[in-house]
Amino acid sequence: FCIVGLFPFMPINKTINAQNSDIEKLFLLINERLSYMEYVALFKERSNSPTEDKEREAVVLMDAVESANELGLLGPSVESFFRAQISIAKAIQYRYRADWQSDSPSSVPLDLQEIIRPKLSQIGSAIVHKMAALYRNGGQISEEHRDLFHQSIEVDNISQQDRTKLFNSLLLVETQK
């Protein structure tokens, strides 16, 4: 009798585990995307290109919003997250470039157009899809995930303030009503 009474709770536990897995994967994707900022900065440093590229930012934001809307997320809330991510990505790039003023990088840059940007686009799309899957499965990012997020973001040249800003923007992602 007691064993039969427990069966209704098993699907709930599986759902919670699936949601936690989606959250962890989302955080790892965000970390992966930010980990490419060293390569972006190196390419821009070697080619004497500015860190800021407003045209590219507009494309990234447009793609994220379109994808979010198609997947049932509220476009403006995802746009806010991507704006925060772009802002932090630029901060990371500026920090690398500042470091290189006194200690020049020794590595060879990867091609921004052919290698880095396609990979960043792929990861950006995966982030939006993972967010949508999380919400579709009844989950969402909440304050209880803050420590996990901070631990998951392991890239160099990111501050605690950056992590906090990015996590706070994740808290605001919503689904369409």
Side-chain angles (χ1 to χ4, degrees):
F1 174 73
C2 290
I3 293 174
V4 172
L6 293 176
F7 282 116
F9 295 105
M10 289 179 69
I12 293 171
N13 288 337
K14 284 184 179 181
T15 301
I16 290 170
N17 288 338
Q19 290 168 2
N20 287 339
S21 176
D22 283 342
I23 290 168
E24 289 173 29
K25 288 176 184 172
L26 174 62
F27 293 172
L28 291 174
L29 285 168
I30 294 167
N31 185 70
E32 181 181 3
R33 189 172 194 288
L34 292 174
S35 74
Y36 275 85
M37 293 311 111
E38 180 178 6
Y39 301 113
V40 173
L42 181 59
F43 181 89
K44 290 177 179 179
E45 181 71 16
R46 297 291 176 148
S47 64
N48 290 318
S49 301
T51 298
E52 201 155 357
D53 184 344
K54 292 288 188 185
E55 287 179 23
R56 180 65 189 159
E57 291 173 26
V59 168
V60 170
L61 292 171
M62 184 183 67
D63 288 348
V65 170
E66 283 180 13
S67 184
N69 285 330
E70 289 170 7
L71 295 169
L73 297 172
L74 191 61
S77 69
V78 173
E79 180 179 5
S80 293
F81 165 73
F82 270 84
R83 282 190 186 281
Q85 189 174 218
I86 288 169
S87 172
I88 291 161
K90 288 189 291 190
I92 292 168
Q93 291 175 55
Y94 280 119
R95 290 177 191 129
Y96 273 113
R97 293 181 83 170
D99 290 346
W100 294 332
Q101 295 303 306
S102 61
D103 188 18
S104 186
S106 59
S107 46
V108 176
L110 300 173
D111 187 88
L112 186 64
Q113 302 301 329
E114 298 296 320
I115 298 171
I116 300 170
R117 283 196 176 146
K119 186 65 177 170
L120 290 174
S121 293
Q122 176 189 8
I123 298 168
S125 177
I127 288 170
V128 176
H129 278 82
K130 187 55 68 180
M131 282 180 185
L134 173 66
Y135 281 85
R136 210 173 22 254
N137 292 333
Q140 74 179 62
I141 306 298
S142 66
E143 193 59 45
E144 71 187 40
H145 302 112
R146 186 176 295 274
D147 288 341
L148 176 62
F149 180 81
H150 281 259
Q151 293 166 11
S152 299
I153 306 302
E154 301 178 330
V155 296
D156 291 335
N157 285 327
I158 188 169
S159 68
Q160 281 300 108
Q161 184 178 350
D162 293 337
R163 284 181 180 92
T164 297
K165 177 181 178 179
L166 195 53
F167 183 78
N168 288 346
S169 69
L170 275 174
L171 290 173
L172 301 176
V173 172
E174 300 177 67
T175 58
Q176 297 172 6
K177 304 291 183 224

